[in-house]
mmCIF file of all heavy atoms in Angstrom:
data_model
loop_
_atom_site.group_PDB
_atom_site.id
_atom_site.type_symbol
_atom_site.label_atom_id
_atom_site.label_comp_id
_atom_site.label_asym_id
_atom_site.label_seq_id
_atom_site.Cartn_x
_atom_site.Cartn_y
_atom_site.Cartn_z
ATOM 1 N N PHE B 181 -12.422 7.959 -13.221
ATOM 2 C CA PHE B 181 -13.380 7.730 -14.308
ATOM 3 C C PHE B 181 -12.764 8.225 -15.589
ATOM 4 O O PHE B 181 -12.267 9.356 -15.665
ATOM 5 C CB PHE B 181 -14.647 8.526 -13.976
ATOM 6 C CG PHE B 181 -15.856 8.171 -14.789
ATOM 7 C CD1 PHE B 181 -16.684 7.127 -14.417
ATOM 8 C CD2 PHE B 181 -16.218 8.921 -15.909
ATOM 9 C CE1 PHE B 181 -17.831 6.823 -15.143
ATOM 10 C CE2 PHE B 181 -17.354 8.621 -16.641
ATOM 11 C CZ PHE B 181 -18.169 7.574 -16.250
ATOM 12 N N SER B 198 -21.908 5.295 -6.492
ATOM 13 C CA SER B 198 -21.844 5.124 -7.945
ATOM 14 C C SER B 198 -21.499 6.474 -8.569
ATOM 15 O O SER B 198 -21.712 7.534 -7.962
ATOM 16 C CB SER B 198 -23.167 4.591 -8.507
ATOM 17 O OG SER B 198 -24.220 5.477 -8.239
ATOM 18 N N VAL B 199 -20.935 6.414 -9.757
ATOM 19 C CA VAL B 199 -20.597 7.640 -10.480
ATOM 20 C C VAL B 199 -21.182 7.546 -11.879
ATOM 21 O O VAL B 199 -21.419 6.458 -12.412
ATOM 22 C CB VAL B 199 -19.076 7.897 -10.579
ATOM 23 C CG1 VAL B 199 -18.504 8.302 -9.239
ATOM 24 C CG2 VAL B 199 -18.344 6.692 -11.151
ATOM 25 N N GLU B 200 -21.385 8.731 -12.435
ATOM 26 C CA GLU B 200 -22.006 8.790 -13.749
ATOM 27 C C GLU B 200 -21.573 10.061 -14.436
ATOM 28 O O GLU B 200 -21.323 11.083 -13.774
ATOM 29 C CB GLU B 200 -23.529 8.812 -13.557
ATOM 30 C CG GLU B 200 -24.321 8.368 -14.743
ATOM 31 C CD GLU B 200 -25.808 8.336 -14.444
ATOM 32 O OE1 GLU B 200 -26.308 9.192 -13.703
ATOM 33 O OE2 GLU B 200 -26.478 7.446 -14.991
ATOM 34 N N ARG B 201 -21.516 9.981 -15.753
ATOM 35 C CA ARG B 201 -21.315 11.191 -16.539
ATOM 36 C C ARG B 201 -22.530 11.262 -17.466
ATOM 37 O O ARG B 201 -22.494 10.764 -18.585
ATOM 38 C CB ARG B 201 -20.012 11.096 -17.307
ATOM 39 C CG ARG B 201 -19.587 12.380 -17.955
ATOM 40 C CD ARG B 201 -18.096 12.388 -18.171
ATOM 41 N NE ARG B 201 -17.684 13.317 -19.217
ATOM 42 C CZ ARG B 201 -17.478 14.610 -19.027
ATOM 43 N NH1 ARG B 201 -17.696 15.145 -17.852
ATOM 44 N NH2 ARG B 201 -17.075 15.379 -20.005
ATOM 45 N N PRO B 202 -23.603 11.850 -16.983
ATOM 46 C CA PRO B 202 -24.878 11.756 -17.704
ATOM 47 C C PRO B 202 -24.914 12.523 -19.021
ATOM 48 O O PRO B 202 -25.690 12.207 -19.904
ATOM 49 C CB PRO B 202 -25.895 12.334 -16.703
ATOM 50 C CG PRO B 202 -25.091 13.187 -15.786
ATOM 51 C CD PRO B 202 -23.727 12.576 -15.724
ATOM 52 N N ASN B 206 -21.358 17.116 -16.994
ATOM 53 C CA ASN B 206 -21.474 16.817 -15.573
ATOM 54 C C ASN B 206 -20.859 15.470 -15.215
ATOM 55 O O ASN B 206 -20.824 14.535 -16.025
ATOM 56 C CB ASN B 206 -22.953 16.798 -15.175
ATOM 57 C CG ASN B 206 -23.557 18.173 -15.193
ATOM 58 O OD1 ASN B 206 -23.297 18.982 -14.329
ATOM 59 N ND2 ASN B 206 -24.354 18.450 -16.216
ATOM 60 N N PHE B 207 -20.401 15.392 -13.980
ATOM 61 C CA PHE B 207 -19.838 14.154 -13.427
ATOM 62 C C PHE B 207 -20.401 14.057 -12.024
ATOM 63 O O PHE B 207 -20.184 14.947 -11.200
ATOM 64 C CB PHE B 207 -18.311 14.251 -13.427
ATOM 65 C CG PHE B 207 -17.591 13.070 -12.846
ATOM 66 C CD1 PHE B 207 -17.879 11.777 -13.245
ATOM 67 C CD2 PHE B 207 -16.596 13.260 -11.913
ATOM 68 C CE1 PHE B 207 -17.206 10.695 -12.706
ATOM 69 C CE2 PHE B 207 -15.909 12.176 -11.363
ATOM 70 C CZ PHE B 207 -16.216 10.903 -11.759
ATOM 71 N N THR B 208 -21.174 13.001 -11.754
ATOM 72 C CA THR B 208 -21.889 12.950 -10.482
ATOM 73 C C THR B 208 -21.426 11.782 -9.622
ATOM 74 O O THR B 208 -21.006 10.737 -10.130
ATOM 75 C CB THR B 208 -23.409 12.825 -10.715
ATOM 76 O OG1 THR B 208 -23.683 11.616 -11.409
ATOM 77 C CG2 THR B 208 -23.941 14.013 -11.519
ATOM 78 N N LEU B 209 -21.546 11.985 -8.313
ATOM 79 C CA LEU B 209 -21.320 10.937 -7.334
ATOM 80 C C LEU B 209 -22.628 10.734 -6.588
ATOM 81 O O LEU B 209 -23.154 11.673 -6.003
ATOM 82 C CB LEU B 209 -20.217 11.337 -6.355
ATOM 83 C CG LEU B 209 -19.965 10.390 -5.184
ATOM 84 C CD1 LEU B 209 -19.358 9.075 -5.659
ATOM 85 C CD2 LEU B 209 -19.039 11.037 -4.137
#
Side-chain angles (χ1 to χ4, degrees):
Chain B
F181 194 86
S198 60
V199 288
E200 202 176 36
R201 190 156 158 84
N206 290 286
F207 178 50
T208 62
L209 174 69

